[in-house]
Amino acid sequence: MSKTPQAARSSSLADAIGGFTHDPLGHALFAYPWGEGALAGMNGPRAWQRAVLQEIGAHLADPATRHAPLRLARASGHGIGKSALVAMVVKWALDTCPDTRVLVTANTESQLDTKTGPEIAKWANLALTADWFRQTRRALTATAPGHEQGWRCDLVTWSEHNTEAFAGLHNQGKRIVLIFDEASGIADTVWEVALGALTDADTELIWLAFGNPTQNTGAFRACFGKHRALWRTAQIDARTVEGVNHAYLDELVAAYGADSDVVRVRVRGLFPSSGSMQFIPLDLVEAARTRDVPPGLPSDPVIFGVDCARFGDDESVLAIRCGRDARSRAWKAWRETDAMRLAGDIALEAQRHRPDAIFVDAGNIGAAVVDRLRQLLGDVPVIEVWFGGKGREAELEPGVSVPTANKRAEMWTRMRAWLARAALPDHERLRDDLIGPTYAFAADDTRIQLERKPDMKRRGLPSPDWADALACTFAEAVGPRARPAWLEPAPRDDDGAGRYGELG
């Protein structure tokens, strides 16, 4: 019986795809509608993607290496198309070898669900073989009857205490592909368990690790160091990749410097020069501690910033800033005080310094402090600040703005830029708070995010209460004052030390 036209076309497509069993680049060029629709203006994978696909193909095409594990790692700058390459590899692996098992994971569940997974789905839908596999949120499974369980790609999350998905990955005599996306953030224990997938004999074994080199320790870093004999590695400068926003990368270089950790990690694809990336350098803070108070304008607003804590080792802190001067007006700090007493004491300071705005950290007891201050100071704007709120672009250097992951990162970025010409109190706790937090980026993203307070405490550092209070003064722009009330004499409370300390 002759085949129907549809069956003939399907058979012809299967024969064509079968020719790319050991040719991932050929598959990518054949399977997608380059130059059309979503791929308009593209004639194929980017140069670095082609190189990876060719390296996989050469390994599999050689009978001497075909059944030896291929470990391939790429550390890169931002935006070079790592997730797109992951998607192309996944589709090639499934299309060209029946009963292939593919396992994909990432540094976080969010990365897997919002970046890696959608990219795999996008390319699977674009392929000529889109109907060969059924899509769900976390899997691609074969539509061929009887093969749903063994011919598939699974997107799995991990935890350091639950690694069963990696321990059970076996597929002897066929093909296994293991992909780590944003690999720098995947725990070492997951890497160790994944080694068990490389023990099957007579099996095509491919382990790929991609990511920004955000950490100077861990298993991803070891691929380029002590384990480099096991891995084929390369580090890719994003400025050498076509289709990347080169203007933005050049801005990062201009703002931070070519040898800074942010440029090493996010642009050059190099690991940071030290174990952590310090957001505010010590020399910037020390200069602000010793600099003469810059001359201000009578119209410079006086701004209060309040970081609230309840009990324990943390402190509630009032920072006072007027233009570039954060030194002339004494700050205050409280330990183990409740919201009503804290609000009352801040109201007294407001009578003394007549602020144009008061910004209060709304977490912890902050919401209650905001409500009470609004009752006590009806004529002074009291604005709540949510550190986890949406971050906007913030100016890091004149003319150079960077995106931020949340409100706290936005405020700290503005504060960092301000420090270059500002005057700070000569106080060691404030210095230590300012230089304490490290920074990173949202995975495969350019938004700066600051180290969280719980993570700092795990490193043995206190919560940066003093620096967070100062950062609050940068929460929003405050208009110039019409009447420079801060020039007027104000009564001084000589017993101000009391149960809270004055920072002079």
Side-chain angles (χ1 to χ4, degrees):
M1 181 182 294
S2 61
K3 294 181 179 179
T4 65
Q6 182 178 359
R9 286 194 299 271
S10 178
S11 177
S12 176
L13 178 58
D15 290 342
I17 291 294
F20 302 115
T21 298
H22 295 149
D23 184 8
L25 177 57
H27 176 274
L29 293 171
F30 176 83
Y32 303 106
W34 298 103
E36 303 174 13
L39 302 181
M42 306 179 195
N43 60 8
R46 294 174 176 177
W48 83 271
Q49 295 169 336
R50 289 173 180 256
V52 171
L53 295 171
Q54 288 173 323
E55 190 165 358
I56 296 171
H59 175 88
L60 295 177
D62 185 349
T65 60
R66 182 175 303 156
H67 295 144
L70 170 64
R71 302 177 182 91
L72 191 149
R74 293 292 183 269
S76 71
H78 172 72
I80 69 168
K82 296 183 293 294
S83 294
L85 178 60
V86 167
M88 284 185 262
V89 170
V90 167
K91 199 69 176 79
W92 157 79
L94 292 173
D95 282 356
T96 61
C97 182
D99 296 325
T100 284
R101 290 291 312 279
V102 181
L103 201 63
V104 181
T105 193
N107 59 327
T108 64
E109 185 173 9
S110 175
Q111 170 72 16
L112 204 62
D113 287 342
T114 65
K115 300 286 181 65
T116 314
E119 195 73 7
I120 290 173
K122 166 191 165 182
W123 287 86
N125 284 326
L126 288 172
L128 294 175
T129 56
D131 61 346
W132 289 12
F133 293 87
R134 183 178 297 106
Q135 291 189 33
T136 61
R137 186 171 69 93
R138 289 280 180 88
L140 290 176
T141 57
T143 55
H147 292 268
E148 298 88 349
Q149 297 305 311
W151 192 354
R152 59 189 295 133
C153 167
D154 291 289
L155 283 69
V156 300
T157 56
W158 56 269
S159 78
E160 296 179 67
H161 309 293
N162 181 17
T163 56
E164 286 84 354
F166 302 89
L169 184 61
H170 294 284
N171 201 23
Q172 187 164 349
K174 297 172 184 176
R175 175 183 288 168
I176 293 174
V177 179
L178 180 61
I179 302 176
F180 284 7
D181 194 16
E182 292 304 331
S184 211
I186 297 176
D188 289 5
T189 53
V190 177
W191 290 73
E192 293 166 4
V193 174
L195 289 170
L198 305 182
T199 59
D200 287 356
D202 301 319
T203 304
E204 294 178 0
L205 303 163
I206 302 168
W207 188 358
L208 308 178
F210 301 127
N212 300 122
T214 58
Q215 299 184 29
N216 210 26
T217 59
F220 188 55
R221 179 67 181 89
C223 296
F224 299 79
K226 65 180 180 179
H227 294 157
R228 61 184 176 274
L230 299 175
W231 289 81
R232 301 183 186 183
T233 63
Q235 292 172 267
I236 302 170
D237 190 319
R239 294 171 296 181
T240 68
V241 177
E242 63 272 30
V244 175
N245 186 346
H246 293 104
Y248 177 73
L249 298 177
D250 290 341
E251 284 185 358
L252 289 180
V253 175
Y256 291 95
D259 292 325
S260 66
D261 279 340
V262 64
V263 171
R264 289 175 64 88
V265 172
R266 303 306 293 185
V267 179
R268 299 171 63 190
L270 303 177
F271 288 89
S273 56
S274 59
S276 63
M277 299 199 297
Q278 186 179 14
F279 186 61
I280 296 180
L282 177 61
D283 58 351
L284 193 63
V285 177
E286 291 293 0
R289 290 176 67 190
T290 58
R291 181 180 293 121
D292 290 339
V293 174
L297 298 173
S299 58
D300 283 342
V302 174
I303 305 172
F304 280 14
V306 182
D307 185 68
C308 299
R310 190 169 180 84
F311 300 114
D313 295 331
D314 297 346
E315 293 179 299
S316 294
V317 179
L318 167 64
I320 308 176
R321 178 175 69 86
C322 179
R324 289 182 287 164
D325 177 16
R327 184 186 301 155
S328 298
R329 296 159 187 81
W331 296 21
K332 298 285 184 179
W334 297 260
R335 282 188 183 274
E336 299 188 354
T337 191
D338 60 41
M340 296 302 102
R341 295 181 70 182
L342 179 59
D345 288 343
I346 293 171
L348 291 175
E349 296 302 312
Q351 292 179 10
R352 176 185 302 179
H353 296 291
R354 302 182 185 180
D356 295 274
I358 301 175
F359 293 98
V360 182
D361 164 24
N364 211 319
I365 62 171
V369 173
V370 168
D371 291 342
R372 182 58 175 158
L373 283 174
R374 287 172 177 169
Q375 291 176 341
L376 297 173
L377 303 171
D379 59 339
V380 179
V382 180
I383 302 102
E384 56 194 66
V385 180
W386 295 98
F387 283 15
K390 184 178 180 180
R392 300 170 296 187
E393 283 202 353
E395 190 172 67
L396 186 70
E397 298 285 345
V400 178
S401 294
V402 295
T404 59
N406 52 37
K407 189 66 178 180
R408 182 168 180 250
E410 175 193 329
M411 296 187 301
W412 273 70
T413 299
R414 299 187 193 283
M415 178 172 65
R416 184 184 187 275
W418 170 85
L419 281 170
R421 297 187 299 162
L424 286 176
D426 185 14
H427 192 272
E428 289 188 3
R429 173 62 193 272
L430 175 59
R431 178 202 64 192
D432 292 345
D433 280 3
L434 287 166
I435 66 175
T438 62
Y439 68 98
F441 296 85
D444 199 27
D445 202 337
T446 59
R447 294 174 299 159
I448 289 176
Q449 59 184 18
L450 213 61
E451 183 180 20
R452 300 183 313 128
K453 294 181 181 182
D455 294 332
M456 291 185 66
K457 289 189 173 183
R458 279 193 286 270
R459 291 199 291 128
L461 298 178
S463 174
D465 305 317
W466 294 87
D468 277 336
L470 179 59
C472 281
T473 68
F474 296 91
E476 302 292 344
V478 178
R481 58 170 49 197
R483 211 159 43 89
W486 59 269
L487 292 175
E488 300 175 12
R492 179 172 178 81
D493 182 2
D494 289 330
D495 64 352
R499 61 183 170 79
Y500 52 88
E502 228 181 58
L503 193 160

